[in-house]
């Protein structure tokens, strides 16, 4: 239920289903010049149903406060469709006297509910008017003041923030506000975050649309975590900062408002340091710094930080004083944390290094939050200013509201849920705040260590710690932008999100509720659709690396057991390809002849819709050994990695790379014996074999590494093994670290090492698809920059994974998901591309997905550069090259008939299609 049903611009209302992502509503509303005011930092993946559940606010709730009814989601809801636990479906909202008369006349359960709500309102009216703090961010408790006559007896708004303890929401009518046509960001630097907080009221007088604060510890932790290091220089001098955003119909109008504030601050005596951010890109980068607060604070050292007191709120005029008092309380308890948040509305975010693993630590935690609750109440604030109470703060609510309002809350829940079945133990009659803690399963007993293949150096060498890394932000649930999580985009199932998988792995190790250990079928099912794209490693705010977790799990899951057949068919593709290279025609006959091909696919578990890539008649290494090499080459030595795919299936790519490198003045060498990085092994948890293959690689090319010879790889997935898995499996090997340092993609190497005039001119447009591992591990910008330096016009489809992901898309059980991922953006973009447009993808599996789904042949960067040089008249042709290209040109799904002439001359080969590829000397 994730659709934007309708936008009514006249009424300024958006009708959505509860699973609708906030940005989807905002995008639809922007077409009418409207927006939804509250916007948490998770706006790209949080849902309206979730925002209704905990009464979310966000950065621009200041705008909603000034322009609408108020700052919170509750203030911006027109109506709700709800379902009670006993099966009554109702539409609720503002209730006029006529509405009330009609409801009572119709009778039944709705009439009982409305009668009880009216009686509750009348009985507690004075308490509702005077017992809630008068602040923008009072999210704690139930929003019962919405039932007062002066607020229209608004039942929908009373239910917002009830955290699924009363009803299930089925539909939402969201109030929309005029969206500023332009926005301008002003950043102010103060000597400390406390002084920044002191000046919040002064800044609010300028009526900004956003006002956020950050302290110096947050920025230090970002540097420690390597987050936005280049962007931090955009901040003006200071130890505490306010991010002040202004809106206007035009850029000139919003900028004028910012400059007016700057002038007023300069006249005030001791102005803060100021930076008016005139570039939209720089503004975006600074906002990303603020939105990365959770990522910076979740894993800043070996001591984890936790929520528990992460969103308290006070009057905006008290922010500075509250921050000082809160820091004093933290110091008294020996806790450390960063302070940041929605200062314009008095909401303070933080994560604190509570000890939640020992009994003494948990008791210390309890005493702290009790004192913190008393502190925020003294400031006239709220225990929660954004995330809700649930169990973490439910026990503390009497300190804030007193016994009469707590009784009103209890009666409100009973009206909707008399049997107490909706999310019991939260808000009303909650379990103790220190019960059911995530890490409390073992008490003071240290759980037994787990022997693993990977070292998990970022998690203290403990797989158990790695499974705790996820803090539930849910960025993996976004449906556009970034790399992760392609399987969730295709299925929209929580179990196929990075967060869902991480949670299951955690529960598996805890044995609660999953008790199957490494053999648990639930975990295996959830990991089955993980494409090992490593997008989460790059995009996840806290660096969850599900590809590594999956490989580790599968190695234990199948220990001592026979794996499914695809594990052997695909995992050992390197050795199988070497066998096939002895008689490639016979191998192609077996895999492509009618009848035999179908049997081969069935045996290997390949989807019947897929074609098995044809083996080239001669490998790249065969061509390299037989080619004529000019004597006396003096260029710098470079080791070209002959990966399985470009060696056995697409040798023309590797041949083109040799030409490009030699044209740039390098002396190209290959390893002295056949090697394979073992990338497919990880997909099936064959980690023992993977380690042995890596040790063989280091033994073979170790002398080259010690001489400083760079290694250039053409297949991104192979390079990612050298940069990632290698040092994780062999953390103590200096030669492993050397290979990680000295390995380059072709684009990286040419930009870093080649002469400035080595690039040929690439004319015309290029439709570029980046491999997942380029984007998540290696760095994709380098390739884009190189193409643009060469003169190309580069277009990139908004897509993460192509959907093939090595063996994944070939497997019968994964075909539908593979195609759903590919059809999201990449494949339609390829089909739309004009015939003269270069389609480029460095990944073998990406090129296969494109070829098999669109019939279009995508090129590798090496081929694009070699073609460009060839057009300038710098290339010739030789008979062996023509023979190799002839086989490669057959592409995916080539039949034995098409490869039967592989021994033809170069002229014959060129006459049958090889001329469409780059020429080979």
């Amino acid at each position: 239920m994730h659709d934007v049903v309708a936008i009514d611009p006249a009424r300024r209302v958006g009708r959505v289903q509860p699973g609708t992502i906030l940005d989807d509503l905002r995008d639809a509303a922007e077409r009418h010049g409207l927006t939804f005011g509250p916007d948490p930092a998770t706006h790209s993946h949080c849902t309206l149903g979730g925002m209704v559940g905990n009464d979310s606010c966000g950065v621009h709730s200041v705008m909603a406060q000034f322009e609408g009814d108020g700052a919170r989601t509750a203030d911006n809801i027109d109506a709700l469709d709800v379902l009670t636990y006993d099966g009554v479906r109702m539409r609720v909202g503002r209730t006029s006297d006529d509405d009330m008369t009609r409801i009572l006349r119709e009778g039944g359960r709705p009439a009982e509910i409305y009668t009880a709500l009216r009686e509750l309102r009348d009985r507690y009216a004075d308490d509702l008017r005077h017992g809630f703090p008068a602040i923008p961010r009072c999210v704690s408790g139930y929003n019962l003041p919405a039932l007062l006559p002066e607020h229209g007896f608004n039942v929908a708004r009373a239910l917002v923030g009830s955290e699924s303890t009363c009803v299930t929401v089925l539909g939402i009518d969201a109030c929309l506000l005029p969206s500023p046509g332009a926005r301008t960001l002003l950043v102010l630097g103060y000597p400390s975050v406390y002084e920044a907080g002191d000046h919040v009221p002064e800044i609010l007088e300028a009526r900004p649309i956003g006002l956020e604060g950050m302290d110096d510890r947050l920025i230090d932790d970002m540097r420690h975590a390597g987050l936005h290091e280049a962007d931090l220089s955009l901040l003006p001098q200071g130890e505490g900062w306010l991010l002040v955003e202004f809106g206007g119909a035009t850029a000139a109008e919003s900028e004028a408002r910012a400059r007016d504030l700057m002038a007023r601050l300069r006249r005030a005596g001791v102005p803060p340091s100021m930076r008016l951010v005139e570039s939209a890109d720089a503004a975006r980068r600074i906002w990303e710094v603020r939105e990365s607060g959770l990522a910076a604070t979740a894993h800043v050292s070996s001591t984890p930080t936790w929520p528990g007191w992460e969103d308290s709120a006070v009057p905006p005029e008290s922010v500075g004083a509250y921050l000082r008092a809160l820091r004093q309380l933290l110091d008294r308890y020996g806790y450390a944390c960063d302070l940041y948040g929605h200062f314009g509305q008095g909401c303070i975010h933080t994560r604190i290094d509570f000890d939640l693993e020992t009994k003494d630590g948990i008791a210390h935690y309890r005493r702290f939050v009790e004192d913190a609750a008393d502190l925020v109440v003294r400031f006239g604030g709220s225990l929660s200013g954004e995330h809700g109470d649930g169990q973490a703060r439910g026990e503390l609510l009497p300190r804030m509201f007193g016994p009469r309002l707590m009784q009103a809350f209890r009666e409100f829940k009973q009206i909707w849920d008399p049997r107490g079945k909706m999310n019991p133990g939260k808000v009303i009659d909650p379990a103790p705040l220190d019960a059911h803690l995530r890490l409390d399963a073992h008490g003071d007993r240290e759980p037994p260590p787990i022997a693993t293949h990977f070292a998990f150096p970022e998690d203290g060498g403990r797989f158990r710690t790695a499974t705790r890394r996820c803090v539930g932000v849910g960025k993996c649930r976004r449906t556009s932008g970034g790399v992760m999580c392609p399987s969730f985009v295709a299925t929209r199932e929580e179990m196929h999100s990075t967060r869902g998988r991480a949670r299951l792995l955690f529960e598996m190790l805890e044995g609660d509720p999953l008790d199957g250990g490494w053999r648990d079928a639930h975990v295996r099912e959830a990991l089955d659709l993980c494409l090992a794209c490593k997008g989460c490693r790059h995009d996840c705010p806290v660096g969850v690396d599900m590809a590594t977790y999956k490989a580790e799990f599968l190695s234990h899951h199948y220990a001592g057991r026979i794996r499914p057949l695809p594990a052997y068919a695909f995992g050992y593709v390197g050795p199988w390809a070497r066998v096939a290279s002895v008689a490639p025609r016979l191998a192609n006959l077996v895999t492509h002849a009618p009848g035999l091909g179908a049997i081969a696919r069935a045996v290997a578990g390949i989807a019947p819709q897929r074609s098995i890539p044809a083996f080239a008649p001669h490998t790249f290494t065969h061509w390299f050994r037989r080619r004529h090499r000019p004597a006396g080459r003096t260029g710098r030595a470079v080791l070209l990695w002959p990966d399985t795919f470009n060696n056995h299936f697409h040798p023309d790519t590797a041949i083109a790379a040799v030409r490009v490198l030699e044209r740039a003045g390098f002396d190209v060498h290959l390893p002295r014996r056949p090697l394979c990085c073992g990338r497919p092994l990880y997909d099936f948890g064959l980690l023992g074999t993977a380690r042995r293959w890596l040790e063989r690689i280091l033994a073979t090319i170790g002398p080259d590494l010690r001489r400083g010879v760079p290694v250039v790889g053409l297949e991104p997935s192979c390079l990612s093994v050298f940069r990632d898995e290698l040092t994780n499996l062999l953390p103590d090997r200096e030669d492993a670290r050397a290979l990680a340092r000295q390995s380059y993609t072709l684009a990286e190497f040419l930009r870093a090492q080649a002469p400035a005039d080595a690039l040929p001119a690439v004319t015309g447009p290029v439709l570029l698809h980046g491999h997942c591992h380029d984007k998540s591990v290696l760095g994709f910008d380098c390739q884009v920059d190189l193409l643009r330096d060469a003169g190309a016009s580069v277009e990139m489809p908004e897509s993460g994974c192509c959907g093939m992901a090595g063996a994944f898309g070939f497997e019968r059980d994964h075909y539908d998901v593979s195609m759903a991922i590919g059809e999201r953006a990449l494949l339609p973009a390829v089909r739309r591309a004009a015939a003269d447009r270069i389609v480029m993808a460095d990944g073998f599996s990406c090129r296969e997905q494109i070829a098999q789904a669109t019939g279009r042949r995508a090129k590798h960067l090496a081929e694009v550069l070699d073609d460009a040089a060839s057009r300038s008249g710098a290339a010739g042709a030789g008979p062996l090259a023509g023979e190799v290209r002839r086989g490669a040109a057959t592409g995916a799904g080539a039949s034995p008939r098409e490869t039967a002439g592989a021994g033809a001359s170069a002229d014959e080969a060129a006459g049958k299609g090889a001329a469409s590829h780059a020429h080979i000397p």
Side-chain angles (χ1 to χ4, degrees), residues 62 65-66 136 200 204 210-213 242 316 319 341-347:
V62 173
Q65 177 182 345
F66 288 136
V200 164
L204 285 175
L211 177 52
E212 301 291 291
L242 294 178
V319 167
H342 312 294
F343 284 15
Q345 294 200 303
C347 182

Side-chain angles (χ1 to χ4, degrees), residues 728-775:
N728 205 338
L729 282 173
L730 303 172
D732 299 324
R733 296 281 296 268
E734 174 55 37
D735 47 1
R737 291 190 288 272
L739 179 52
R741 289 192 305 268
Q742 292 169 221
S743 57
Y744 298 84
T745 67
L746 181 61
E748 286 175 328
F749 184 75
L750 291 175
R751 280 182 64 82
Q753 310 276 355
D757 60 354
L759 279 184
V762 179
T763 58
V766 175
L767 179 67
L768 173 63
H769 172 72
H771 190 281
C772 294
H773 294 166
D774 265 331
K775 297 173 182 176

Side-chain angles (χ1 to χ4, degrees), residues 248-323:
T250 64
E253 182 181 337
S254 63
E255 184 176 327
R257 291 179 177 173
R259 291 191 182 277
D260 285 347
L261 175 61
M262 295 173 71
R264 185 151 55 85
L265 292 174
R266 290 191 184 101
R267 293 193 298 267
V270 184
S273 59
M274 294 181 266
R275 172 164 186 177
L276 183 65
V277 184
E278 298 179 352
S279 160
D281 179 67
R284 175 189 57 79
R285 289 161 58 193
I286 291 174
W287 279 121
E288 287 178 352
V289 169
R290 162 59 188 89
E291 292 176 356
S292 298
L294 175 56
T297 58
H299 298 280
V300 294
S301 68
S302 58
T303 303
T305 61
W306 302 99
W309 195 252
E310 78 279 14
D311 67 323
S312 56
V314 296
E317 60 271 19
S318 301
V319 167
Y322 175 65
L323 289 173

